[in-house]
Amino acid sequence: MEVIVAKTPADMASAAAREVANVLNAKPNAVLGMATGSTPLGLYQELVRLHKKGELDFSHVTTFNLDEYVGLPITHPQSYHYFMHEHLFRHINIPPQNVHIPSGTTTNYRAFCEWYEQRIKQCGGIDLQILGIGTDGHIGFNEPGSSLTSRTRLKTLARQTIDDNARFFKNRDEVPIYAITMGVGTVLESKEIVLLANGKKKAEAIAAAVEGPVTSMITASALQLHPSTRVYLDEEAASHLKMREYFDWVQEKKPGAPQA
Ligand code: F6R
């Protein structure tokens, strides 16, 4: 794991956008794994800006979103379908048939989840997965206790996640209780992973994920087992890291490191 502390959330967003741009420059038909929530908003704004400037082309890109709430129609303003359309897809030139978001309204969740896993494989696997982290250490909606080899499936949201996400709904009772999410095992098969976190509320989860033991109680800690994960943080999210000085030292010394 590489840990990069940006000065501001805006710096974090542009660093993450550079990661996406590098992948697309090397492979214009790359497969991207997308996250929703407040954390990647700056990244999506930056991707839209680069696209409008003519610097990013999404015409051959395929995407897979991590998760979706069960029971929300795609027109619901809090559905992740709606979120992705509003914040990214309607502003870029990605062909609609290349966009994949788990269905929150399928009549057969088990069959849908199997299909989603197969579809990721058919498309060649995820080249770059974008992740946020929950205050309980979740990635996707892989709540504490999720198997670290789990695949796309239905999950019951933790009370803490329902409380955290209630801010997006009129009241807490409206937050769905179930979600469909890629598994930790699904995420770990991505070739590259970028985890983003900002704000004090994420500091504890980040310290546990980066420096704690690998445990299903903090599913983001499974990223320690992944060969190419970069964690982009702002100062507040990095504030509980004990190894902070070393992480900064590594970044400072990076330009001098042998390239081959
Ligand atoms: C969303 C997702 C979740 C969020 C996490 C943080 O697709 O997979 O894991 O990334 O709950 O949410 P925010 O960014 O709203 O704090």
Side-chain angles (χ1 to χ4, degrees):
M1 255 190 201
E2 201 178 324
V3 178
I4 303 118
V5 184
K7 290 218 163 48
T8 64
D11 289 345
M12 187 180 87
S14 38
R18 264 197 309 279
E19 291 262 0
V20 174
N22 290 344
V23 168
L24 298 195
N25 287 337
K27 186 178 177 187
N29 63 346
V31 178
L32 300 177
M34 315 306 275
T36 56
S38 52
T39 310
L41 280 174
L43 161 64
Y44 295 154
Q45 272 165 19
E46 187 58 13
L47 293 180
V48 170
R49 195 185 66 81
L50 293 172
H51 170 68
K52 296 218 157 119
K53 259 176 80 189
E55 290 178 19
L56 269 187
D57 173 28
F58 290 88
S59 61
H60 300 288
V61 169
T62 297
T63 60
F64 285 90
N65 264 77
L66 280 166
D67 40 23
E68 177 60 287
Y69 288 119
V70 164
L72 296 192
I74 62 175
T75 50
H76 190 290
Q78 294 312 327
S79 78
Y80 289 165
H81 279 78
Y82 191 93
F83 175 102
M84 289 307 296
H85 183 72
E86 271 314 291
H87 295 291
L88 186 63
F89 296 143
R90 77 184 176 90
H91 306 286
I92 60 175
N93 63 336
I94 188 163
Q97 67 274 18
N98 290 10
V99 166
H100 303 84
I101 304 176
S103 169
T105 53
T106 176
T107 50
N108 187 335
Y109 283 94
R110 194 180 294 265
F112 182 86
C113 292
E114 275 170 27
W115 174 82
Y116 205 70
E117 287 280 333
Q118 275 164 20
R119 188 79 193 121
I120 294 173
K121 284 204 178 79
Q122 269 168 12
C123 293
I126 293 171
D127 291 297
L128 175 69
Q129 175 67 56
I130 310 291
L131 294 174
I133 186 170
T135 56
D136 64 1
H138 70 214
I139 47 174
F141 275 134
N142 293 287
E143 300 289 27
S146 294
S147 162
L148 301 186
T149 62
S150 51
R151 315 300 308 188
T152 304
R153 71 214 181 288
L154 201 78
K155 278 299 286 184
T156 306
L157 299 182
R159 285 182 206 275
Q160 191 171 329
T161 301
I162 294 174
D163 288 344
D164 287 346
N165 290 3
R167 69 191 193 278
F168 298 116
F169 292 80
K170 279 197 211 91
N171 61 62
R172 191 186 184 278
D173 295 344
E174 278 184 25
V175 186
I177 293 170
Y178 307 102
I180 181 166
T181 180
M182 275 188 207
V184 181
T186 319
V187 168
L188 289 179
E189 279 171 13
S190 311
K191 288 165 201 118
E192 307 276 333
I193 297 178
V194 163
L195 171 69
L196 305 174
N198 56 265
K200 234 195 293 198
K201 274 198 339 216
K202 299 295 173 68
E204 217 178 295
I206 282 294
V210 174
E211 298 179 341
V214 174
T215 167
S216 64
M217 298 313 288
I218 302 282
T219 53
S221 67
L223 299 173
Q224 294 176 29
L225 303 172
H226 186 267
S228 188
T229 291
R230 283 169 299 287
V231 180
Y232 287 93
L233 306 172
D234 72 350
E235 286 291 345
E236 289 188 342
S239 60
H240 288 198
L241 289 173
K242 294 196 178 70
M243 299 279 291
R244 170 65 194 276
E245 201 188 330
Y246 176 68
F247 296 138
D248 289 351
W249 167 256
V250 170
Q251 291 309 307
E252 190 189 313
K253 296 296 163 199
K254 211 172 165 181
Q259 294 304 304

